[in-house]
Amino acid sequence: MPHFDKLFSNSNARPVYYNGLPLSRMDRITVSNGQTLKVAFESVNSDWRQGIGFDTDGSFDVVGKTIKRKIVLWRDTAPEELQLVVHTKKGELFVRNVWDVGNGVIESWHNGAAMIVEELPNGRRYRCNDGFADDDFDDLVFRVEWS
């Protein structure tokens, strides 16, 4: 079972390669202040609760609420598709997959965690592996799109 920690430990936040696939633990998207993004959950295949973690230096407007700096959208409670407005000074949005094994703790970035980031014409698709050490990259699949 693959634990990707060793691969990522010396990567300086750059993608690593596993079986010829580029893997990331976090993605950085350049955004404009006030930019609206469409977030769409495509599929989930895990025994654990799956979600998307977003970070920025400002705030997010989502589902009628403003949330500062960090937000987690859980697949089991968020709409299947939603709009996310990013307010930022630095123009950066960080994206990562997160999970909860059932103890209420938001986990990310360890053991089998990694994402395949696929470029789309107006966005990116993320094929995610959670902390369970396998390499199917289907625990959570989602898109972030912009216009």
Side-chain angles (χ1 to χ4, degrees):
M1 296 294 194
H3 287 257
F4 300 121
D5 292 340
K6 287 183 184 180
L7 287 174
F8 283 109
S9 67
N10 296 320
S11 73
N12 293 325
R14 293 193 175 130
V16 300
Y17 287 85
Y18 173 78
N19 289 342
L21 297 170
L23 306 180
S24 299
R25 282 210 165 144
M26 179 170 35
D27 189 32
R28 179 185 170 274
I29 299 174
T30 301
V31 294
S32 301
N33 185 44
Q35 185 169 358
T36 300
L37 303 174
K38 177 181 162 185
V39 179
F41 290 97
E42 291 186 7
S43 65
V44 65
N45 184 26
S46 177
D47 293 332
W48 298 337
R49 188 178 193 204
Q50 300 292 311
I52 310 166
F54 292 104
D55 298 74
T56 193
D57 64 334
S59 63
F60 300 97
D61 293 337
V62 60
V63 193
K65 296 180 183 179
T66 299
I67 300 167
K68 294 186 180 208
R69 301 193 54 95
K70 296 182 180 195
I71 186 171
V72 171
L73 301 175
W74 292 107
R75 175 61 188 100
D76 62 337
T77 58
E80 191 171 311
E81 290 188 2
L82 58 96
Q83 303 240 335
L84 180 71
V85 180
V86 183
H87 301 282
T88 174
K89 293 179 184 175
K90 293 183 180 177
E92 297 177 322
L93 174 67
F94 297 94
V95 181
R96 71 187 189 290
N97 65 308
V98 301
W99 64 92
D100 174 356
V101 299
N103 59 7
V105 176
I106 299 172
E107 299 194 47
S108 65
W109 284 53
H110 65 89
N111 294 342
M115 305 184 301
I116 298 170
V117 181
E118 176 187 340
E119 293 290 333
L120 301 174
N122 291 316
R124 294 184 181 145
R125 175 175 288 113
Y126 298 86
R127 298 181 187 281
C128 303
N129 223 44
D130 59 25
F132 183 78
D134 62 23
D135 58 2
D136 51 21
F137 297 95
D138 69 348
D139 298 322
L140 177 66
V141 179
F142 66 93
R143 292 185 325 272
V144 177
E145 298 174 326
W146 50 83
S147 48

